[in-house]
Amino acid sequence: MMLLPSKDNSEGMKADNTCLSQVEMAHIHQVDRIPENYDADCKNGSISSKARSNSSTSEKEVKINLVKMKKELEELQQKLVSNLNWKMAEMVDHFVSEIEEVELPRNLRVFVNDNKPKRRNNSGNGGLPEKKFCHRNSLLTDMLEINHIQTIYHIFAAILVVLLLNTVVCDIFDKGTVDYDFKLIQWSFGQPKTVLFIWTGMMFTTSVFVYISFHFWAHTRATLKSDMQMKIWDITSILVFIIYICLFFYVPVHEVLLHQLAPASAVIIIDEQVRMLMKTYAFVRENAPTAVKYSKITRQGGTPSDLKRFAKEEGIDGPCPDFGKYLYFLFAPTLIYRHRYPRTPSTSWSKVFSYFAQVVGMIIYMYFIFVRFCVPVFRKFGQEPFTCKGIILSVFGCMMPGTLVLVITFYCVLHVWLNGFAEMLRFGDRMFYEDWWNSSSYSRYYRTWNVVVHDWLYTYIYKDIYDLTGRKNKVLPKLAVFVISSLVHEYIMGFTMRFFYPIIFVLFGGFGVAFAFLNNMGVRVGNVFLWATLFMGTGLLMSIYSMEFYARINCPPPEGYLLSWLPRSWTCNAIH
């Protein structure tokens, strides 16, 4: 703006003020250097053309910078809102779980038979309820804070001491020395390098190959336009997935048989094989519908904001979750995939050490049980004649140690082992089992004994079959769950022991199914019936598998590969 010169003092003051405002504007627009003739121009009531051009250029730069800053602030706002929503959701879940538990002190809640469905919330679409994760301890974690329950724990520790003393005394009288070499444990966990090599290969294919393949399928599907292309792509991907599952079944089993792994080493590989397959199926089953919806939005001409809104609703950044979520799921003590789980604030490494030290203690515990109650009875099976009377007495003699092995296995795997990994990974939901020992029916026992596996069977077998059959028939999904579970148990035992003795399938898939429909025996009678049948079943399993194991050591093998898988104790001519 040009100012007209005036001799009036007031007008001079106005001109000076105007020059001052121009200097201030120069600072605001970040003019680097004020021209030397600027004061003279102000006195003359004018600004040089060079200053005006610099001011105009600075205004454009400031506008560009403001636009960039605005975009950065918007991105920062989105990230802050997303993180805040996630933190708030986690805090609300934790607060709700605390509110649910505020009715009674923690050390008294375990004595209340609460039948409210705390584990699942309604799906809202007329189907079966979904799995819900929340902050909670394992039942024994709370129970062991009570002095009376601690005493039961001490009783089991005292039994271990008695078994140790029993072994020492027997070794002194029989051998004249104490045998502390733990040969049975060393043999059972033999070839650790081979086991580690096989496990590493399985984990690599499960973590890297599965994720890369699913990521490629999901992102490629989002780029396809025609229905025919998408159909061909989906069918091809399903065939590749089936081939992968078959190879994942075959290769580890082949390695177990090739290296003749001992039972403990073999069961590690077979159990991990089944666990990784269940995790793989859960990941694909949970994320495939999301990828399909994402590609549907792209085909309908959805804008980037529509895709971003959909991804935000699903809790992921695109058609496939990031690798970190999948990797955490592979090690988390659950078989149900979620993008987020409730997490504890920190890890107590002293608890982690205590849990895994107890695992070692439980292995030694079972070693003494087998050495004192199993090996002396059955190690000469096939060398000396066994009568039917002796076999029946051995079955009843194995009931107490067999049940003890059952309880120790439950405590070692479902409580100690899973809680150790949960503490390491700060996994909040530690309800890996419920009070199965209070069950008055087998249907409740199956639901509460192993909640981790039951949730997988419920979510991906029972619930899917129930939806596919029109949501009218619950008997067919229940039978499918029993058949699949019994076959998998028989598969694990068969390739662990390297013989086919379908006693688990008969007991679990036969009597177990029949007992599951007996729900009207009353609380006390039903609980007594449950424990009595568990005692007899574990005794029968322990004696039959022990006889077959030693029959394969002491009796000559039959001719033919298929005959070698049949029970050798039937043809050993040892029973009279």
Side-chain angles (χ1 to χ4, degrees):
M1 179 176 66
M2 298 296 295
L3 299 176
L4 297 175
S6 174
K7 296 180 180 180
D8 189 56
N9 292 334
S10 61
E11 293 179 356
M13 292 177 62
K14 290 180 181 179
D16 292 338
N17 291 336
T18 305
C19 289
L20 179 62
S21 64
Q22 294 294 336
V23 173
E24 292 175 347
M25 289 300 293
H27 280 289
I28 293 174
H29 291 93
Q30 299 177 354
V31 177
D32 295 334
R33 183 174 179 273
I34 301 177
E36 295 177 355
N37 60 348
Y38 185 83
D39 292 335
D41 291 338
C42 287
K43 291 178 181 180
N44 296 328
S46 63
I47 301 176
S48 64
S49 60
K50 183 177 181 180
R52 287 200 304 270
S53 63
N54 288 340
S55 177
S56 176
T57 304
S58 299
E59 289 179 359
K60 293 180 180 179
E61 291 178 354
V62 169
K63 289 180 180 180
I64 294 173
N65 291 333
L66 287 175
V67 172
K68 291 181 179 179
M69 291 176 63
K70 184 177 180 181
K71 290 182 179 179
E72 291 178 356
L73 287 174
E74 288 178 352
E75 294 177 358
L76 180 61
Q77 181 184 14
Q78 291 178 356
K79 292 181 180 179
L80 289 175
V81 170
S82 177
N83 292 333
L84 182 62
N85 290 335
W86 177 67
K87 288 291 184 183
M88 287 295 295
E90 190 176 27
M91 291 173 61
V92 169
D93 289 340
H94 180 70
F95 180 73
V96 169
S97 63
E98 292 293 330
I99 291 296
E100 290 178 349
E101 298 174 351
V102 78
E103 299 175 0
L104 288 174
R106 175 173 290 182
N107 60 347
L108 297 179
R109 289 197 316 269
V110 294
F111 296 105
V112 179
N113 185 18
D114 190 0
N115 294 322
K116 293 184 294 183
K118 292 182 179 179
R119 290 196 59 80
R120 299 181 178 92
N121 62 339
N122 291 331
S123 59
N125 57 0
L128 294 174
E130 299 285 345
K131 166 73 177 180
K132 179 182 178 182
F133 290 92
C134 61
H135 287 273
R136 49 192 166 186
N137 287 333
S138 295
L139 199 56
L140 287 179
T141 302
D142 295 335
M143 291 178 65
L144 288 173
E145 295 180 359
I146 306 169
N147 291 333
H148 303 290
I149 307 301
Q150 288 178 359
T151 302
I152 298 176
Y153 182 85
H154 298 158
I155 291 173
F156 277 89
I159 294 174
L160 175 60
V161 174
V162 171
L163 288 174
L164 175 61
L165 293 176
N166 185 292
T167 304
V168 170
V169 171
C170 291
D171 287 342
I172 290 175
F173 282 103
D174 294 341
K175 304 177 182 178
T177 183
V178 179
D179 187 5
Y180 280 120
D181 57 359
F182 296 103
K183 292 181 180 179
L184 184 60
I185 295 180
Q186 294 176 8
W187 172 79
S188 297
F189 290 92
Q191 305 183 57
K193 293 182 180 179
T194 303
V195 173
L196 181 61
F197 178 78
I198 298 172
W199 183 88
T200 304
M202 292 192 301
M203 178 55 66
F204 177 80
T205 55
T206 303
S207 58
V208 178
F209 178 78
V210 170
Y211 180 81
I212 292 177
S213 300
F214 185 85
H215 186 277
F216 179 69
W217 169 79
H219 282 80
T220 303
R221 195 180 197 280
T223 62
L224 301 178
K225 301 300 182 181
S226 66
D227 293 337
M228 182 59 66
Q229 289 179 338
M230 196 168 295
K231 187 175 181 180
I232 295 174
W233 179 244
D234 289 343
I235 293 175
T236 304
S237 301
I238 291 173
L239 292 176
V240 172
F241 183 67
I242 293 174
I243 293 172
Y244 167 79
I245 295 295
C246 294
L247 289 175
F248 202 88
F249 265 113
Y250 171 76
V251 175
V253 169
H254 176 267
E255 294 298 315
V256 167
L257 299 179
L258 177 65
H259 296 281
Q260 295 292 303
L261 295 181
S265 299
V267 79
I268 290 173
I269 298 301
I270 302 301
D271 280 349
E272 282 294 283
Q273 177 198 45
V274 173
R275 183 185 71 89
M276 292 178 191
L277 284 172
M278 295 170 76
K279 294 253 187 184
T280 299
Y281 183 83
F283 175 77
V284 175
R285 173 64 180 80
E286 292 287 349
N287 291 285
T290 303
V292 172
K293 293 178 183 177
Y294 189 91
S295 61
K296 184 177 180 180
I297 294 175
T298 58
R299 291 182 61 199
Q300 293 176 351
T303 62
S305 60
D306 294 333
L307 296 175
K308 188 176 294 185
R309 190 184 308 110
F310 171 77
K312 184 178 180 181
E313 292 174 356
E314 295 293 332
I316 55 178
D317 298 329
C320 178
D322 59 76
F323 182 70
K325 292 183 174 64
Y326 177 59
L327 188 63
Y328 180 86
F329 168 65
L330 288 181
F331 290 95
T334 180
L335 297 174
I336 306 298
Y337 178 83
R338 294 290 185 269
H339 299 310
R340 293 187 179 92
Y341 299 97
R343 307 283 294 276
T344 56
S346 60
T347 298
S348 175
W349 291 105
S350 60
K351 289 184 178 180
V352 173
F353 177 79
S354 174
Y355 282 132
F356 290 117
Q358 290 183 72
V359 171
V360 177
M362 294 301 105
I363 293 173
I364 296 174
Y365 206 143
M366 286 190 283
Y367 162 77
F368 282 117
I369 292 174
F370 278 101
V371 167
R372 297 316 309 159
F373 298 105
C374 180
V375 175
V377 177
F378 299 103
R379 62 184 172 187
K380 293 185 179 180
F381 187 88
Q383 295 177 348
E384 298 178 356
F386 263 63
T387 62
C388 293
K389 176 183 176 181
I391 292 177
I392 293 174
L393 291 177
S394 67
V395 170
F396 278 89
C398 289
M399 288 183 183
M400 288 300 295
T403 304
L404 196 58
V405 169
L406 174 72
V407 174
I408 292 173
T409 303
F410 154 74
Y411 182 79
C412 179
V413 177
L414 295 177
H415 180 73
V416 177
W417 183 262
L418 294 182
N419 270 285
F421 272 91
E423 188 64 34
M424 278 197 301
L425 299 173
R426 298 191 297 113
F427 189 80
D429 195 341
R430 304 182 183 184
M431 187 60 72
F432 308 125
Y433 54 88
E434 297 183 37
D435 58 334
W436 59 269
W437 48 86
N438 292 328
S439 300
S440 58
S441 64
Y442 266 89
S443 59
R444 187 180 184 277
Y445 168 74
Y446 292 141
R447 293 194 302 268
T448 56
W449 158 260
N450 188 344
V451 172
V452 178
V453 174
H454 171 265
D455 285 339
W456 190 91
L457 291 171
Y458 169 84
T459 303
Y460 303 120
I461 304 298
Y462 184 91
K463 189 171 178 294
D464 285 352
I465 295 178
Y466 178 75
D467 292 336
L468 290 174
T469 54
R471 300 177 179 176
K472 296 180 181 180
N473 186 4
K474 291 186 177 181
V475 176
L476 182 61
K478 182 181 290 188
L479 291 177
V481 167
F482 273 106
V483 171
I484 292 174
S485 182
S486 57
L487 287 175
V488 171
H489 280 81
E490 196 64 54
Y491 166 81
I492 294 173
M493 287 302 300
F495 285 103
T496 297
M497 306 300 294
R498 288 192 294 278
F499 58 79
F500 179 70
Y501 209 133
I503 186 65
I504 291 182
F505 184 82
V506 173
L507 293 180
F508 191 68
F511 292 101
V513 174
F515 292 160
F517 291 95
L518 298 177
N519 298 320
N520 55 356
M521 289 188 294
V523 176
R524 294 186 177 181
V525 175
N527 190 249
V528 171
F529 174 78
L530 173 74
W531 276 105
T533 50
L534 283 178
F535 271 72
M536 290 186 286
T538 53
L540 186 63
L541 287 173
M542 188 173 183
S543 59
I544 286 180
Y545 277 108
S546 298
M547 286 188 291
E548 180 62 25
F549 176 79
Y550 282 103
R552 290 180 170 268
I553 296 176
N554 299 324
C555 300
E559 296 180 359
Y561 178 77
L562 295 178
L563 292 178
S564 65
W565 283 86
L566 297 178
R568 198 172 302 177
S569 57
W570 294 356
T571 59
C572 196
N573 296 323
I575 302 176
H576 298 280

